[in-house]
Amino acid sequence: MSRHRRSLGDYRWDGVELRDYKPAGTHFRGITRQVLFDGPGGLGAQLRYFEIAPGGHSTLERHRHPHAVMVLRGRGRALAGDRIVDLAPFDLLEIGPDEWHQFRADDEPLGFLCLVDCERDRPVRPGPADLERLRRDPRIAAFIRV
Ligand code: MN
């Protein structure tokens, strides 16, 4: 069954609800979620649009399922495994299975599409031993927010 949702501009789409990123928590800041596609026609994939406000960040987490990300607006940085990458519009970023990752916006909103499997494991946050390992790299120590 086909469906056409019109762009409303300003990174909103007709009939797509603007949702909380996750249930309330202190491990993220200034981030919204819109589910653009949810397994359409049995495709098995979800496409979400996340937007992080200036100075905000996503949860530092890892999980078995991968992410495929395309930046649509703004500037920011991401921890992806053991690297910190700069992000700009239309950049593509893959997060592999079990890689630690976190997104941060700079001084403008960072908006990106994120493709995931509909059936996926739950994210895990770092414990003290994980944080100690991550913080051995001073660039990662300075970057992460928990
Ligand atoms: Mn994730």
Side-chain angles (χ1 to χ4, degrees):
M1 175 87 118
S2 65
R3 170 152 60 194
H4 175 212
R5 291 191 191 279
R6 277 185 198 288
S7 165
L8 302 175
D10 202 26
Y11 305 91
R12 296 298 314 276
W13 292 266
D14 188 29
V16 176
E17 188 189 349
L18 186 67
R19 305 183 197 190
D20 290 336
Y21 166 60
K22 287 178 180 176
T26 57
H27 46 90
F28 58 87
R29 193 156 84 96
I31 174 165
T32 59
R33 173 172 63 103
Q34 297 179 73
V35 178
L36 307 183
F37 294 104
D38 191 2
L43 180 61
Q46 236 188 32
L47 187 67
R48 299 89 51 86
Y49 176 75
F50 292 100
E51 196 166 287
I52 307 179
H57 59 85
S58 65
T59 306
L60 173 59
E61 64 180 31
R62 72 174 176 184
H63 36 67
R64 280 302 299 163
H65 63 274
H67 287 315
V69 168
M70 177 190 250
V71 178
L72 287 192
R73 72 178 296 194
R75 303 269 164 185
R77 285 174 295 158
L79 170 69
D82 56 4
R83 294 189 304 148
I84 293 164
V85 296
D86 291 319
L87 295 175
F90 309 111
D91 281 5
L92 302 172
L93 178 63
E94 295 177 32
I95 308 288
D98 289 321
E99 284 190 318
W100 290 110
H101 54 284
Q102 182 167 49
F103 292 82
R104 289 180 56 187
D106 284 343
D107 52 6
E108 48 186 306
L110 177 68
F112 56 91
L113 299 170
C114 179
L115 183 67
V116 286
D117 203 312
C118 286
E119 287 188 25
R120 55 188 185 274
D121 58 325
R122 293 191 66 77
V124 174
R125 290 165 56 200
D130 299 310
L131 286 173
E132 199 217 296
R133 218 172 304 119
L134 283 162
R135 285 176 171 144
R136 281 182 201 154
D137 182 330
R139 292 163 311 135
I140 294 176
F143 180 79
I144 58 175
R145 297 288 179 271
V146 291

mmCIF file of all heavy atoms in Angstrom, residues 33-49:
data_model
loop_
_atom_site.group_PDB
_atom_site.id
_atom_site.type_symbol
_atom_site.label_atom_id
_atom_site.label_comp_id
_atom_site.label_asym_id
_atom_site.label_seq_id
_atom_site.Cartn_x
_atom_site.Cartn_y
_atom_site.Cartn_z
ATOM 1 N N ARG A 33 12.816 12.787 18.239
ATOM 2 C CA ARG A 33 12.797 11.618 17.349
ATOM 3 C C ARG A 33 11.516 11.654 16.532
ATOM 4 O O ARG A 33 10.435 11.934 17.072
ATOM 5 C CB ARG A 33 12.824 10.347 18.210
ATOM 6 C CG ARG A 33 12.656 9.036 17.488
ATOM 7 C CD ARG A 33 12.896 7.873 18.464
ATOM 8 N NE ARG A 33 11.907 7.858 19.533
ATOM 9 C CZ ARG A 33 10.868 7.017 19.590
ATOM 10 N NH1 ARG A 33 10.704 6.097 18.664
ATOM 11 N NH2 ARG A 33 10.008 7.073 20.585
ATOM 12 N N GLN A 34 11.650 11.394 15.239
ATOM 13 C CA GLN A 34 10.484 11.193 14.384
ATOM 14 C C GLN A 34 10.695 9.892 13.616
ATOM 15 O O GLN A 34 11.766 9.705 13.027
ATOM 16 C CB GLN A 34 10.332 12.346 13.387
ATOM 17 C CG GLN A 34 10.074 13.701 14.044
ATOM 18 C CD GLN A 34 9.968 14.804 13.007
ATOM 19 O OE1 GLN A 34 8.988 14.901 12.283
ATOM 20 N NE2 GLN A 34 10.994 15.651 12.939
ATOM 21 N N VAL A 35 9.696 9.033 13.639
ATOM 22 C CA VAL A 35 9.784 7.773 12.890
ATOM 23 C C VAL A 35 9.163 8.013 11.516
ATOM 24 O O VAL A 35 7.955 8.201 11.399
ATOM 25 C CB VAL A 35 9.085 6.628 13.637
ATOM 26 C CG1 VAL A 35 9.156 5.345 12.821
ATOM 27 C CG2 VAL A 35 9.710 6.429 15.017
ATOM 28 N N LEU A 36 9.996 8.045 10.496
ATOM 29 C CA LEU A 36 9.543 8.366 9.136
ATOM 30 C C LEU A 36 8.975 7.139 8.437
ATOM 31 O O LEU A 36 7.977 7.224 7.728
ATOM 32 C CB LEU A 36 10.703 8.948 8.325
ATOM 33 C CG LEU A 36 11.432 10.141 8.956
ATOM 34 C CD1 LEU A 36 12.512 10.642 8.000
ATOM 35 C CD2 LEU A 36 10.472 11.261 9.315
ATOM 36 N N PHE A 37 9.659 6.006 8.599
ATOM 37 C CA PHE A 37 9.187 4.732 8.057
ATOM 38 C C PHE A 37 9.319 3.692 9.157
ATOM 39 O O PHE A 37 10.322 3.661 9.863
ATOM 40 C CB PHE A 37 10.044 4.287 6.859
ATOM 41 C CG PHE A 37 9.944 5.185 5.659
ATOM 42 C CD1 PHE A 37 10.974 6.061 5.358
ATOM 43 C CD2 PHE A 37 8.829 5.139 4.837
ATOM 44 C CE1 PHE A 37 10.898 6.889 4.239
ATOM 45 C CE2 PHE A 37 8.744 5.961 3.721
ATOM 46 C CZ PHE A 37 9.779 6.838 3.418
ATOM 47 N N ASP A 38 8.301 2.847 9.287
ATOM 48 C CA ASP A 38 8.324 1.810 10.318
ATOM 49 C C ASP A 38 8.003 0.467 9.664
ATOM 50 O O ASP A 38 6.863 0.026 9.654
ATOM 51 C CB ASP A 38 7.313 2.154 11.417
ATOM 52 C CG ASP A 38 7.485 1.271 12.636
ATOM 53 O OD1 ASP A 38 8.403 0.430 12.652
ATOM 54 O OD2 ASP A 38 6.676 1.423 13.577
ATOM 55 N N GLY A 39 9.017 -0.136 9.066
ATOM 56 C CA GLY A 39 8.840 -1.440 8.425
ATOM 57 C C GLY A 39 7.829 -1.422 7.295
ATOM 58 O O GLY A 39 6.977 -2.310 7.210
ATOM 59 N N PRO A 40 7.895 -0.456 6.386
ATOM 60 C CA PRO A 40 6.845 -0.346 5.371
ATOM 61 C C PRO A 40 6.803 -1.574 4.462
ATOM 62 O O PRO A 40 7.836 -2.027 3.969
ATOM 63 C CB PRO A 40 7.235 0.913 4.599
ATOM 64 C CG PRO A 40 8.713 1.044 4.798
ATOM 65 C CD PRO A 40 8.968 0.517 6.184
ATOM 66 N N GLY A 41 5.608 -2.111 4.254
ATOM 67 C CA GLY A 41 5.432 -3.225 3.323
ATOM 68 C C GLY A 41 6.293 -4.435 3.636
ATOM 69 O O GLY A 41 6.668 -5.179 2.737
ATOM 70 N N GLY A 42 6.613 -4.619 4.920
ATOM 71 C CA GLY A 42 7.440 -5.770 5.296
ATOM 72 C C GLY A 42 8.916 -5.571 5.033
ATOM 73 O O GLY A 42 9.698 -6.533 5.047
ATOM 74 N N LEU A 43 9.344 -4.353 4.798
ATOM 75 C CA LEU A 43 10.754 -4.062 4.512
ATOM 76 C C LEU A 43 11.677 -4.447 5.674
ATOM 77 O O LEU A 43 12.822 -4.812 5.456
ATOM 78 C CB LEU A 43 10.905 -2.568 4.192
ATOM 79 C CG LEU A 43 12.302 -2.053 3.859
ATOM 80 C CD1 LEU A 43 12.855 -2.735 2.616
ATOM 81 C CD2 LEU A 43 12.287 -0.542 3.643
ATOM 82 N N GLY A 44 11.174 -4.325 6.896
ATOM 83 C CA GLY A 44 11.982 -4.763 8.033
ATOM 84 C C GLY A 44 12.934 -3.711 8.568
ATOM 85 O O GLY A 44 13.736 -3.991 9.451
ATOM 86 N N ALA A 45 12.851 -2.497 8.047
ATOM 87 C CA ALA A 45 13.737 -1.430 8.512
ATOM 88 C C ALA A 45 12.918 -0.239 8.994
ATOM 89 O O ALA A 45 11.797 -0.007 8.529
ATOM 90 C CB ALA A 45 14.678 -0.989 7.395
ATOM 91 N N GLN A 46 13.499 0.476 9.935
ATOM 92 C CA GLN A 46 12.912 1.722 10.426
ATOM 93 C C GLN A 46 13.845 2.862 10.051
ATOM 94 O O GLN A 46 15.060 2.737 10.206
ATOM 95 C CB GLN A 46 12.830 1.661 11.953
ATOM 96 C CG GLN A 46 11.452 1.889 12.512
ATOM 97 C CD GLN A 46 11.437 2.005 14.013
ATOM 98 O OE1 GLN A 46 12.400 2.484 14.624
ATOM 99 N NE2 GLN A 46 10.353 1.575 14.622
ATOM 100 N N LEU A 47 13.252 3.955 9.560
ATOM 101 C CA LEU A 47 14.049 5.157 9.303
ATOM 102 C C LEU A 47 13.555 6.239 10.241
ATOM 103 O O LEU A 47 12.370 6.593 10.236
ATOM 104 C CB LEU A 47 13.911 5.611 7.848
ATOM 105 C CG LEU A 47 14.825 6.761 7.445
ATOM 106 C CD1 LEU A 47 16.296 6.341 7.460
ATOM 107 C CD2 LEU A 47 14.469 7.290 6.054
ATOM 108 N N ARG A 48 14.465 6.732 11.077
ATOM 109 C CA ARG A 48 14.121 7.773 12.038
ATOM 110 C C ARG A 48 14.867 9.064 11.693
ATOM 111 O O ARG A 48 15.958 9.012 11.133
ATOM 112 C CB ARG A 48 14.525 7.367 13.475
ATOM 113 C CG ARG A 48 13.841 6.106 14.010
ATOM 114 C CD ARG A 48 14.590 4.821 13.705
ATOM 115 N NE ARG A 48 15.994 4.816 14.052
ATOM 116 C CZ ARG A 48 16.476 4.502 15.271
ATOM 117 N NH1 ARG A 48 15.676 4.123 16.238
ATOM 118 N NH2 ARG A 48 17.791 4.511 15.497
ATOM 119 N N TYR A 49 14.276 10.179 12.070
ATOM 120 C CA TYR A 49 14.980 11.468 11.992
ATOM 121 C C TYR A 49 15.163 11.974 13.412
ATOM 122 O O TYR A 49 14.193 12.178 14.145
ATOM 123 C CB TYR A 49 14.188 12.482 11.166
ATOM 124 C CG TYR A 49 14.837 13.848 11.160
ATOM 125 C CD1 TYR A 49 15.984 14.095 10.406
ATOM 126 C CD2 TYR A 49 14.338 14.887 11.950
ATOM 127 C CE1 TYR A 49 16.604 15.335 10.424
ATOM 128 C CE2 TYR A 49 14.943 16.135 11.965
ATOM 129 C CZ TYR A 49 16.077 16.343 11.205
ATOM 130 O OH TYR A 49 16.695 17.573 11.225
#
